[in-house]
Amino acid sequence: AGGRLAGCDAMLDFGSGSGVVAFAALLFGCRRAVGVEIDPYAVKVSRANAADNGMADRFVAVLPAEEAPEEYELVVANILARTLVQLQPTLSSRVAAGGTLLLSGIWGEAQAAEVRGHTRE
């Protein structure tokens, strides 16, 4: 199966919730996905969702303390802007050279400017 992410070996979904963004990446061709989530119940739900959708062999969900630091071609985070700023060192360290960091959860130009100010290299 091809897809727009066919060359993606691994992606990280930080703040993964139910796992839906990671699952979309898998459906678009990424080989494996890691979801990091602070809510233990959401970790349990995302694991069940992966199993229900035939993706349990390619998806791992963990709490932040359980995450093994690794670099990924694609790192996504759909989290409130203030939290994105706080997580900037962690998120940036997970992006492989030439990789992509995709952030959402940013409301309005003021929040966008705040996040940009902490993520530009």
Side-chain angles (χ1 to χ4, degrees):
R4 294 182 182 185
L5 296 175
C8 176
D9 180 55
M11 68 85 64
L12 174 66
D13 181 2
F14 212 96
S16 58
S18 66
V20 67
V21 172
F23 302 152
L26 293 172
L27 289 172
F28 276 98
C30 199
R31 287 190 269 293
R32 66 184 181 91
V34 175
V36 176
E37 174 57 53
I38 63 170
D39 181 349
Y41 182 73
V43 169
K44 180 179 177 180
V45 168
S46 66
R47 289 174 181 161
N49 288 342
D52 289 347
N53 289 284
M55 298 179 188
D57 60 331
R58 300 186 301 143
F59 175 75
V60 175
V62 296
L63 295 167
E66 301 167 336
E67 185 217 355
E70 182 180 338
E71 291 184 346
Y72 301 86
E73 288 113 313
L74 175 62
V75 175
V76 300
N78 180 26
I79 305 173
L80 296 175
R82 178 168 287 141
T83 305
L84 289 172
V85 168
Q86 293 168 347
L87 289 171
Q88 183 276 329
T90 299
L91 295 173
S92 294
S93 72
R94 301 302 188 267
V95 181
T100 299
L101 174 61
L102 179 62
L103 305 174
S104 60
I106 302 163
W107 293 85
E109 185 53 40
Q111 287 185 7
E114 179 183 6
V115 172
R116 273 194 305 270
H118 288 86
T119 55
R120 290 214 169 146
E121 294 184 28

